[in-house]
Amino acid sequence: MTKPTHLDDTGAAHMVDVGAKPATSRRAAAGGRITMSPSALEAIRSGNAPKGDVLSTARLAGIMAAKRTADLIPLCHPLALSKVGVDFTWEDDGIAVTATAATTGPTGVEMEALTAASVALLTLYDMAKALDRTMVLSDIRLLEKSGGRSGDWRAE
């Protein structure tokens, strides 16, 4: 069994030392979805949600969250992100979110992409909760990553 990287010899949590790892180009994409009532979905699509431009606000929230991942997730390294993107896809019963993050550095950006997707979804909920409190956030997961020692990976 492989020793957990975030535990020292006594079992105490610690931040992994990535100082000796080479800086490489790294990218990750994460996604999730929110389902909602047809009326809430139409209000967002038509720009008639009570709180204003739902998608722009959620996009900005996701980008800001990616930049603050190290403040939210213990033991994450603060990263100099070179790109963060948050995109939306209309679905029949909701909205899918895809967040991407990129950097050149010694550690990956999976947590930043996941954080961006999660906070974008939470913001969609917050912006539309007056229309539908039964909305469901789901399927938040890593979709793909590239770079680093472990190479490329893609969800099936």
Side-chain angles (χ1 to χ4, degrees):
M1 183 165 109
T2 306
K3 176 185 164 197
T5 59
H6 285 79
L7 299 179
D8 66 16
D9 292 335
T10 68
H14 71 101
M15 182 181 263
V16 174
D17 183 357
V18 297
K21 292 173 69 177
T24 61
S25 178
R26 296 160 184 271
R27 183 183 174 284
R33 58 191 314 268
I34 183 169
T35 56
M36 61 187 68
S37 68
S39 60
L41 189 60
E42 179 53 33
I44 294 169
R45 188 188 303 262
S46 66
N48 292 322
K51 290 189 174 183
D53 187 345
V54 174
L55 296 185
S56 292
T57 304
R59 178 176 288 112
L60 185 57
I63 293 167
M64 291 172 64
K67 293 166 46 175
R68 301 294 303 265
T69 299
D71 294 332
L72 301 169
I73 309 291
L75 309 179
C76 274
H77 292 84
L79 301 180
L81 297 171
S82 56
K83 171 102 173 85
V84 177
V86 178
D87 295 306
F88 305 99
T89 303
W90 297 104
E91 296 184 339
D92 291 340
D93 62 347
I95 302 169
V97 173
T98 303
T100 56
T103 192
T104 298
T107 190
V109 289
E110 295 92 347
M111 294 309 299
E112 287 72 15
L114 284 160
T115 300
S118 299
V119 171
L121 287 164
L122 288 167
T123 303
L124 290 173
Y125 184 95
D126 181 55
M127 295 288 290
K129 67 187 176 197
L131 301 168
D132 180 5
R133 292 200 185 267
T134 68
M135 293 178 287
V136 176
L137 284 61
S138 64
D139 302 321
I140 299 168
R141 65 186 187 130
L142 183 66
L143 300 172
E144 63 183 81
K145 60 87 67 196
S146 63
R149 187 183 61 208
S150 63
D152 297 352
W153 176 87
R154 176 170 280 209
E156 295 183 17

